[in-house]
Amino acid sequence: MSDNKKYQGNKGNKGFESSREERTGFESKKVRTSEKGGKVSRGFTSSNEEKSGTMPRRNRTGDQGGKESREFTSNKEDKNKVINRGTRKNEEKAVKNKFTRVKSEIKPKSSNASGEGEAKIIREDLIEGRNAVIEALKSDRTVEYILIAKGDLVGSISVVMALAKEKGIVTKEVDRRKLDEMSQTSSHQGVIAVVTPYKYFEINDIFKNAEEKGEKPFIIILDEIEDPHNFGSIIRTAEVCGAHGIIIPKRKNVGATPTVYKTSAGAIEHVKIAKVTNINVAIEEIKKRGVWVYGADMDAEDYIFNTDLTGAVALVIGSEGRGIAKLTKEKCDVLVKIPMVGKITSLNASVAAGIIMYETMKQKIR
């Protein structure tokens, strides 16, 4: 046997050949190693696999393998702890968000004493405020009784009590908190009168009112005014300007609410308000009776001061947002506008109505 063969044989016996073959990292040499068999080939294979990192660390054997296995288990447990901790945080966060959501859903129902956030019933049997109650007592309105805040018996409250005593109307002193709960305007001024709901009139009643005064009819027609403050202001201006009545639709228009009473300063007791099913039908009816209908529209061609308003007239005022409805606008005889030179191209409904009503009154009293 040659020296080379001896050397190769010795290497094979001592595992050198197997070690060199494993360092190349090819699977084909792993097969040759396995063909030679023996414990040496398996041992070298395991050793080289550890060096090359081809085997997972958790599969190592021996003392070190056991230690590394314990380390792997420990790391896994730590990861599980982190995951569990994160899960608990998410669950706590979900519970907290649920509680916050439930709390926010409950809060609006009792957010304040005035009833904001709640669906409050609009009552038409209350009159609030000193001037409004005084005007109601001076008129023919049926007043059932009057509630006055305890200790608030100075100023115009004495006038209220005197008029109530004169008409035989019961007055009761109650705690102010009682009035706060009943109030729909949040400004009762220490007095609330409980009355029969407002009795609406007919269109014929408006014409009779003009006839009794010996004047040509002066009528205000409101096309879906939904703001009670606007409605109250229009009523007050209409009464001052000598209008004989106001026509409103039954739907999409505010009625004679406590806020309207308060805003009109009691003028509603001196103005006849007719509530009709259809505004357009009402316009046709008054036109047949010789009344000219003028609609307020900012796109009109004629200015209000260039229009003859001395005869029997009806002024149509549109809603706060869209103005006069298209079909109602077509029913008008003439469309008029108010001159405006500023950058704002529209006016509040009650302001526009006031300007037109004063122009009408000015022409009538010339």
Side-chain angles (χ1 to χ4, degrees), residues 113-151:
S114 63
E116 292 181 6
E118 295 182 354
K120 198 168 184 178
I121 299 174
I122 303 299
R123 298 180 58 176
E124 294 191 3
D125 63 337
L126 300 180
I127 298 178
E128 303 178 25
R130 301 186 179 189
N131 290 334
V133 172
I134 289 173
E135 293 300 325
L137 290 170
K138 290 180 179 179
S139 68
D140 296 330
R141 171 62 68 89
T142 302
V143 180
E144 297 180 8
Y145 58 90
I146 299 174
L147 302 178
I148 300 174
K150 288 181 180 179

mmCIF file of all heavy atoms in Angstrom, residues 113-151:
data_model
loop_
_atom_site.group_PDB
_atom_site.id
_atom_site.type_symbol
_atom_site.label_atom_id
_atom_site.label_comp_id
_atom_site.label_asym_id
_atom_site.label_seq_id
_atom_site.Cartn_x
_atom_site.Cartn_y
_atom_site.Cartn_z
ATOM 1 N N ALA A 113 -80.653 71.272 32.097
ATOM 2 C CA ALA A 113 -82.025 71.391 32.592
ATOM 3 C C ALA A 113 -82.987 71.934 31.558
ATOM 4 O O ALA A 113 -84.193 71.764 31.661
ATOM 5 C CB ALA A 113 -82.035 72.297 33.830
ATOM 6 N N SER A 114 -82.469 72.633 30.559
ATOM 7 C CA SER A 114 -83.347 73.246 29.564
ATOM 8 C C SER A 114 -83.876 72.252 28.545
ATOM 9 O O SER A 114 -84.692 72.596 27.710
ATOM 10 C CB SER A 114 -82.612 74.376 28.837
ATOM 11 O OG SER A 114 -81.507 73.854 28.139
ATOM 12 N N GLY A 115 -83.336 71.008 28.583
ATOM 13 C CA GLY A 115 -83.871 69.974 27.699
ATOM 14 C C GLY A 115 -83.146 69.859 26.384
ATOM 15 O O GLY A 115 -83.604 69.186 25.490
ATOM 16 N N GLU A 116 -81.968 70.513 26.211
ATOM 17 C CA GLU A 116 -81.226 70.387 24.982
ATOM 18 C C GLU A 116 -80.728 68.959 24.871
ATOM 19 O O GLU A 116 -80.204 68.379 25.810
ATOM 20 C CB GLU A 116 -80.058 71.369 24.951
ATOM 21 C CG GLU A 116 -80.491 72.813 24.855
ATOM 22 C CD GLU A 116 -79.314 73.749 24.811
ATOM 23 O OE1 GLU A 116 -78.183 73.260 24.746
ATOM 24 O OE2 GLU A 116 -79.533 74.963 24.854
ATOM 25 N N GLY A 117 -80.826 68.389 23.695
ATOM 26 C CA GLY A 117 -80.455 67.009 23.505
ATOM 27 C C GLY A 117 -81.632 66.066 23.657
ATOM 28 O O GLY A 117 -81.521 64.896 23.362
ATOM 29 N N GLU A 118 -82.750 66.536 24.160
ATOM 30 C CA GLU A 118 -83.947 65.717 24.296
ATOM 31 C C GLU A 118 -85.018 66.204 23.327
ATOM 32 O O GLU A 118 -85.047 67.364 22.943
ATOM 33 C CB GLU A 118 -84.492 65.796 25.723
ATOM 34 C CG GLU A 118 -83.561 65.204 26.783
ATOM 35 C CD GLU A 118 -84.167 65.258 28.164
ATOM 36 O OE1 GLU A 118 -85.257 65.859 28.296
ATOM 37 O OE2 GLU A 118 -83.566 64.724 29.092
ATOM 38 N N ALA A 119 -85.915 65.305 22.962
ATOM 39 C CA ALA A 119 -87.041 65.678 22.114
ATOM 40 C C ALA A 119 -88.105 66.334 22.997
ATOM 41 O O ALA A 119 -88.882 65.655 23.665
ATOM 42 C CB ALA A 119 -87.610 64.453 21.400
ATOM 43 N N LYS A 120 -88.131 67.657 23.019
ATOM 44 C CA LYS A 120 -89.029 68.384 23.907
ATOM 45 C C LYS A 120 -90.344 68.675 23.192
ATOM 46 O O LYS A 120 -90.363 69.091 22.039
ATOM 47 C CB LYS A 120 -88.367 69.696 24.336
ATOM 48 C CG LYS A 120 -88.999 70.320 25.566
ATOM 49 C CD LYS A 120 -88.134 71.437 26.089
ATOM 50 C CE LYS A 120 -88.690 72.004 27.374
ATOM 51 N NZ LYS A 120 -87.833 73.066 27.920
ATOM 52 N N ILE A 121 -91.450 68.453 23.908
ATOM 53 C CA ILE A 121 -92.780 68.678 23.341
ATOM 54 C C ILE A 121 -93.063 70.175 23.317
ATOM 55 O O ILE A 121 -92.906 70.871 24.324
ATOM 56 C CB ILE A 121 -93.855 67.944 24.165
ATOM 57 C CG1 ILE A 121 -93.576 66.429 24.144
ATOM 58 C CG2 ILE A 121 -95.243 68.250 23.636
ATOM 59 C CD1 ILE A 121 -94.492 65.635 25.041
ATOM 60 N N ILE A 122 -93.447 70.676 22.150
ATOM 61 C CA ILE A 122 -93.789 72.091 22.009
ATOM 62 C C ILE A 122 -95.220 72.295 22.474
ATOM 63 O O ILE A 122 -96.160 71.699 21.938
ATOM 64 C CB ILE A 122 -93.629 72.557 20.553
ATOM 65 C CG1 ILE A 122 -92.195 72.292 20.063
ATOM 66 C CG2 ILE A 122 -93.963 74.040 20.437
ATOM 67 C CD1 ILE A 122 -91.140 73.022 20.839
ATOM 68 N N ARG A 123 -95.381 73.144 23.478
ATOM 69 C CA ARG A 123 -96.710 73.432 24.019
ATOM 70 C C ARG A 123 -97.209 74.771 23.491
ATOM 71 O O ARG A 123 -96.435 75.729 23.385
ATOM 72 C CB ARG A 123 -96.661 73.448 25.550
ATOM 73 C CG ARG A 123 -96.256 72.125 26.165
ATOM 74 C CD ARG A 123 -96.236 72.203 27.685
ATOM 75 N NE ARG A 123 -97.533 72.589 28.242
ATOM 76 C CZ ARG A 123 -97.777 72.644 29.551
ATOM 77 N NH1 ARG A 123 -96.829 72.346 30.421
ATOM 78 N NH2 ARG A 123 -98.971 73.009 29.982
ATOM 79 N N GLU A 124 -98.484 74.822 23.162
ATOM 80 C CA GLU A 124 -99.093 76.055 22.684
ATOM 81 C C GLU A 124 -100.087 76.618 23.691
ATOM 82 O O GLU A 124 -100.893 77.486 23.354
ATOM 83 C CB GLU A 124 -99.790 75.822 21.337
ATOM 84 C CG GLU A 124 -98.822 75.469 20.209
ATOM 85 C CD GLU A 124 -99.487 75.496 18.846
ATOM 86 O OE1 GLU A 124 -100.684 75.837 18.784
ATOM 87 O OE2 GLU A 124 -98.814 75.188 17.852
ATOM 88 N N ASP A 125 -99.999 76.110 24.922
ATOM 89 C CA ASP A 125 -100.907 76.598 25.958
ATOM 90 C C ASP A 125 -100.170 77.397 27.027
ATOM 91 O O ASP A 125 -100.692 77.610 28.119
ATOM 92 C CB ASP A 125 -101.651 75.431 26.606
ATOM 93 C CG ASP A 125 -100.710 74.469 27.318
ATOM 94 O OD1 ASP A 125 -99.509 74.441 26.966
ATOM 95 O OD2 ASP A 125 -101.165 73.757 28.228
ATOM 96 N N LEU A 126 -98.959 77.843 26.729
ATOM 97 C CA LEU A 126 -98.172 78.640 27.672
ATOM 98 C C LEU A 126 -97.834 79.995 27.079
ATOM 99 O O LEU A 126 -97.518 80.101 25.893
ATOM 100 C CB LEU A 126 -96.873 77.913 28.047
ATOM 101 C CG LEU A 126 -96.993 76.531 28.712
ATOM 102 C CD1 LEU A 126 -95.602 75.978 29.003
ATOM 103 C CD2 LEU A 126 -97.823 76.601 29.981
ATOM 104 N N ILE A 127 -97.909 81.006 27.927
ATOM 105 C CA ILE A 127 -97.439 82.344 27.551
ATOM 106 C C ILE A 127 -96.417 82.751 28.599
ATOM 107 O O ILE A 127 -96.702 82.757 29.801
ATOM 108 C CB ILE A 127 -98.598 83.357 27.495
ATOM 109 C CG1 ILE A 127 -99.612 82.935 26.428
ATOM 110 C CG2 ILE A 127 -98.078 84.761 27.200
ATOM 111 C CD1 ILE A 127 -100.814 83.856 26.335
ATOM 112 N N GLU A 128 -95.219 83.090 28.156
ATOM 113 C CA GLU A 128 -94.122 83.399 29.066
ATOM 114 C C GLU A 128 -93.655 84.845 28.889
ATOM 115 O O GLU A 128 -93.706 85.393 27.787
ATOM 116 C CB GLU A 128 -92.949 82.449 28.821
ATOM 117 C CG GLU A 128 -93.317 80.977 28.957
ATOM 118 C CD GLU A 128 -92.142 80.071 28.666
ATOM 119 O OE1 GLU A 128 -90.988 80.522 28.835
ATOM 120 O OE2 GLU A 128 -92.362 78.908 28.262
ATOM 121 N N GLY A 129 -93.204 85.423 29.972
ATOM 122 C CA GLY A 129 -92.694 86.793 29.908
ATOM 123 C C GLY A 129 -93.732 87.807 30.362
ATOM 124 O O GLY A 129 -94.939 87.626 30.166
ATOM 125 N N ARG A 130 -93.272 88.866 30.980
ATOM 126 C CA ARG A 130 -94.190 89.849 31.587
ATOM 127 C C ARG A 130 -95.044 90.576 30.552
ATOM 128 O O ARG A 130 -96.264 90.661 30.687
ATOM 129 C CB ARG A 130 -93.376 90.838 32.420
ATOM 130 C CG ARG A 130 -92.578 90.152 33.524
ATOM 131 C CD ARG A 130 -91.892 91.133 34.436
ATOM 132 N NE ARG A 130 -91.155 90.429 35.489
ATOM 133 C CZ ARG A 130 -90.607 91.024 36.530
ATOM 134 N NH1 ARG A 130 -90.673 92.355 36.657
ATOM 135 N NH2 ARG A 130 -89.959 90.321 37.443
ATOM 136 N N ASN A 131 -94.427 91.117 29.497
ATOM 137 C CA ASN A 131 -95.200 91.855 28.490
ATOM 138 C C ASN A 131 -96.203 90.957 27.775
ATOM 139 O O ASN A 131 -97.341 91.355 27.510
ATOM 140 C CB ASN A 131 -94.263 92.501 27.472
ATOM 141 C CG ASN A 131 -93.473 93.652 28.071
ATOM 142 O OD1 ASN A 131 -93.908 94.288 29.033
ATOM 143 N ND2 ASN A 131 -92.303 93.930 27.499
ATOM 144 N N ALA A 132 -95.756 89.729 27.444
ATOM 145 C CA ALA A 132 -96.648 88.801 26.741
ATOM 146 C C ALA A 132 -97.852 88.438 27.600
ATOM 147 O O ALA A 132 -98.994 88.375 27.107
ATOM 148 C CB ALA A 132 -95.874 87.542 26.348
ATOM 149 N N VAL A 133 -97.633 88.212 28.892
ATOM 150 C CA VAL A 133 -98.745 87.866 29.785
ATOM 151 C C VAL A 133 -99.684 89.058 29.967
ATOM 152 O O VAL A 133 -100.918 88.905 29.988
ATOM 153 C CB VAL A 133 -98.203 87.372 31.139
ATOM 154 C CG1 VAL A 133 -99.338 87.195 32.148
ATOM 155 C CG2 VAL A 133 -97.452 86.052 30.970
ATOM 156 N N ILE A 134 -99.111 90.249 30.069
ATOM 157 C CA ILE A 134 -99.952 91.455 30.218
ATOM 158 C C ILE A 134 -100.851 91.637 29.003
ATOM 159 O O ILE A 134 -102.054 91.931 29.133
ATOM 160 C CB ILE A 134 -99.071 92.697 30.443
ATOM 161 C CG1 ILE A 134 -98.432 92.642 31.840
ATOM 162 C CG2 ILE A 134 -99.872 93.981 30.292
ATOM 163 C CD1 ILE A 134 -97.409 93.741 32.088
ATOM 164 N N GLU A 135 -100.298 91.462 27.803
ATOM 165 C CA GLU A 135 -101.098 91.603 26.584
ATOM 166 C C GLU A 135 -102.172 90.522 26.508
ATOM 167 O O GLU A 135 -103.282 90.770 26.025
ATOM 168 C CB GLU A 135 -100.198 91.548 25.347
ATOM 169 C CG GLU A 135 -99.254 92.730 25.199
ATOM 170 C CD GLU A 135 -100.006 94.051 25.107
ATOM 171 O OE1 GLU A 135 -101.101 94.073 24.509
ATOM 172 O OE2 GLU A 135 -99.494 95.059 25.629
ATOM 173 N N ALA A 136 -101.859 89.327 26.984
ATOM 174 C CA ALA A 136 -102.857 88.264 26.989
ATOM 175 C C ALA A 136 -104.006 88.597 27.929
ATOM 176 O O ALA A 136 -105.176 88.324 27.636
ATOM 177 C CB ALA A 136 -102.205 86.937 27.397
ATOM 178 N N LEU A 137 -103.683 89.212 29.082
ATOM 179 C CA LEU A 137 -104.724 89.606 30.035
ATOM 180 C C LEU A 137 -105.577 90.758 29.507
ATOM 181 O O LEU A 137 -106.767 90.847 29.825
ATOM 182 C CB LEU A 137 -104.074 90.007 31.369
ATOM 183 C CG LEU A 137 -103.441 88.863 32.180
ATOM 184 C CD1 LEU A 137 -102.634 89.415 33.344
ATOM 185 C CD2 LEU A 137 -104.522 87.900 32.674
ATOM 186 N N LYS A 138 -104.988 91.618 28.676
ATOM 187 C CA LYS A 138 -105.745 92.731 28.104
ATOM 188 C C LYS A 138 -106.661 92.276 26.972
ATOM 189 O O LYS A 138 -107.636 92.968 26.657
ATOM 190 C CB LYS A 138 -104.788 93.797 27.573
ATOM 191 C CG LYS A 138 -104.047 94.565 28.670
ATOM 192 C CD LYS A 138 -103.125 95.600 28.050
ATOM 193 C CE LYS A 138 -102.377 96.415 29.113
ATOM 194 N NZ LYS A 138 -101.468 97.411 28.497
ATOM 195 N N SER A 139 -106.335 91.153 26.348
ATOM 196 C CA SER A 139 -107.124 90.672 25.212
ATOM 197 C C SER A 139 -108.263 89.778 25.704
ATOM 198 O O SER A 139 -108.509 89.648 26.900
ATOM 199 C CB SER A 139 -106.218 89.888 24.257
ATOM 200 O OG SER A 139 -105.786 88.686 24.854
ATOM 201 N N ASP A 140 -108.923 89.155 24.747
ATOM 202 C CA ASP A 140 -110.034 88.260 25.079
ATOM 203 C C ASP A 140 -109.574 86.814 25.270
ATOM 204 O O ASP A 140 -110.405 85.903 25.348
ATOM 205 C CB ASP A 140 -111.093 88.311 23.963
ATOM 206 C CG ASP A 140 -111.727 89.692 23.857
ATOM 207 O OD1 ASP A 140 -111.806 90.376 24.906
ATOM 208 O OD2 ASP A 140 -112.129 90.079 22.739
ATOM 209 N N ARG A 141 -108.289 86.584 25.335
ATOM 210 C CA ARG A 141 -107.774 85.223 25.494
ATOM 211 C C ARG A 141 -108.210 84.637 26.839
ATOM 212 O O ARG A 141 -108.173 85.317 27.871
ATOM 213 C CB ARG A 141 -106.244 85.242 25.404
ATOM 214 C CG ARG A 141 -105.564 83.928 25.759
ATOM 215 C CD ARG A 141 -105.975 82.803 24.821
ATOM 216 N NE ARG A 141 -105.473 83.012 23.498
ATOM 217 C CZ ARG A 141 -104.265 82.574 23.091
ATOM 218 N NH1 ARG A 141 -103.496 81.938 23.918
ATOM 219 N NH2 ARG A 141 -103.866 82.787 21.866
ATOM 220 N N THR A 142 -108.592 83.383 26.819
ATOM 221 C CA THR A 142 -108.980 82.692 28.044
ATOM 222 C C THR A 142 -107.734 82.241 28.792
ATOM 223 O O THR A 142 -106.988 81.375 28.304
ATOM 224 C CB THR A 142 -109.862 81.471 27.733
ATOM 225 O OG1 THR A 142 -111.017 81.905 27.012
ATOM 226 C CG2 THR A 142 -110.278 80.763 29.015
ATOM 227 N N VAL A 143 -107.504 82.830 29.970
ATOM 228 C CA VAL A 143 -106.349 82.474 30.802
ATOM 229 C C VAL A 143 -106.849 81.615 31.952
ATOM 230 O O VAL A 143 -107.721 82.028 32.730
ATOM 231 C CB VAL A 143 -105.640 83.740 31.339
ATOM 232 C CG1 VAL A 143 -104.454 83.351 32.206
ATOM 233 C CG2 VAL A 143 -105.205 84.631 30.177
ATOM 234 N N GLU A 144 -106.324 80.415 32.074
ATOM 235 C CA GLU A 144 -106.773 79.493 33.123
ATOM 236 C C GLU A 144 -106.185 79.865 34.477
ATOM 237 O O GLU A 144 -106.904 79.955 35.465
ATOM 238 C CB GLU A 144 -106.392 78.062 32.741
ATOM 239 C CG GLU A 144 -107.084 77.584 31.460
ATOM 240 C CD GLU A 144 -106.707 76.165 31.097
ATOM 241 O OE1 GLU A 144 -106.037 75.498 31.926
ATOM 242 O OE2 GLU A 144 -107.067 75.729 29.995
ATOM 243 N N TYR A 145 -104.887 80.075 34.545
ATOM 244 C CA TYR A 145 -104.247 80.545 35.776
ATOM 245 C C TYR A 145 -102.852 81.062 35.452
ATOM 246 O O TYR A 145 -102.323 80.816 34.356
ATOM 247 C CB TYR A 145 -104.186 79.440 36.842
ATOM 248 C CG TYR A 145 -103.463 78.184 36.425
ATOM 249 C CD1 TYR A 145 -102.083 78.037 36.630
ATOM 250 C CD2 TYR A 145 -104.163 77.134 35.838
ATOM 251 C CE1 TYR A 145 -101.437 76.885 36.260
ATOM 252 C CE2 TYR A 145 -103.512 75.975 35.462
ATOM 253 C CZ TYR A 145 -102.141 75.844 35.675
ATOM 254 O OH TYR A 145 -101.505 74.703 35.286
ATOM 255 N N ILE A 146 -102.263 81.755 36.412
ATOM 256 C CA ILE A 146 -100.951 82.366 36.220
ATOM 257 C C ILE A 146 -100.022 81.914 37.335
ATOM 258 O O ILE A 146 -100.398 81.913 38.518
ATOM 259 C CB ILE A 146 -101.051 83.912 36.208
ATOM 260 C CG1 ILE A 146 -101.939 84.367 35.046
ATOM 261 C CG2 ILE A 146 -99.669 84.543 36.092
ATOM 262 C CD1 ILE A 146 -102.207 85.867 35.041
ATOM 263 N N LEU A 147 -98.811 81.517 36.972
ATOM 264 C CA LEU A 147 -97.785 81.101 37.928
ATOM 265 C C LEU A 147 -96.740 82.201 38.053
ATOM 266 O O LEU A 147 -96.210 82.674 37.046
ATOM 267 C CB LEU A 147 -97.125 79.791 37.475
ATOM 268 C CG LEU A 147 -98.063 78.590 37.271
ATOM 269 C CD1 LEU A 147 -97.269 77.394 36.773
ATOM 270 C CD2 LEU A 147 -98.794 78.255 38.559
ATOM 271 N N ILE A 148 -96.453 82.591 39.290
ATOM 272 C CA ILE A 148 -95.488 83.661 39.558
ATOM 273 C C ILE A 148 -94.420 83.125 40.506
ATOM 274 O O ILE A 148 -94.728 82.404 41.461
ATOM 275 C CB ILE A 148 -96.183 84.891 40.176
ATOM 276 C CG1 ILE A 148 -97.245 85.435 39.211
ATOM 277 C CG2 ILE A 148 -95.175 85.981 40.510
ATOM 278 C CD1 ILE A 148 -98.085 86.558 39.790
ATOM 279 N N ALA A 149 -93.160 83.469 40.233
ATOM 280 C CA ALA A 149 -92.061 83.006 41.069
ATOM 281 C C ALA A 149 -92.135 83.653 42.451
ATOM 282 O O ALA A 149 -92.420 84.848 42.579
ATOM 283 C CB ALA A 149 -90.722 83.342 40.407
ATOM 284 N N LYS A 150 -91.892 82.870 43.485
ATOM 285 C CA LYS A 150 -91.923 83.377 44.859
ATOM 286 C C LYS A 150 -90.869 84.462 45.063
ATOM 287 O O LYS A 150 -89.737 84.324 44.608
ATOM 288 C CB LYS A 150 -91.665 82.233 45.840
ATOM 289 C CG LYS A 150 -92.809 81.246 45.967
ATOM 290 C CD LYS A 150 -92.479 80.165 46.984
ATOM 291 C CE LYS A 150 -93.635 79.177 47.119
ATOM 292 N NZ LYS A 150 -93.324 78.097 48.102
ATOM 293 N N GLY A 151 -91.277 85.521 45.750
ATOM 294 C CA GLY A 151 -90.349 86.598 46.052
ATOM 295 C C GLY A 151 -90.098 87.565 44.913
ATOM 296 O O GLY A 151 -89.352 88.529 45.061
#
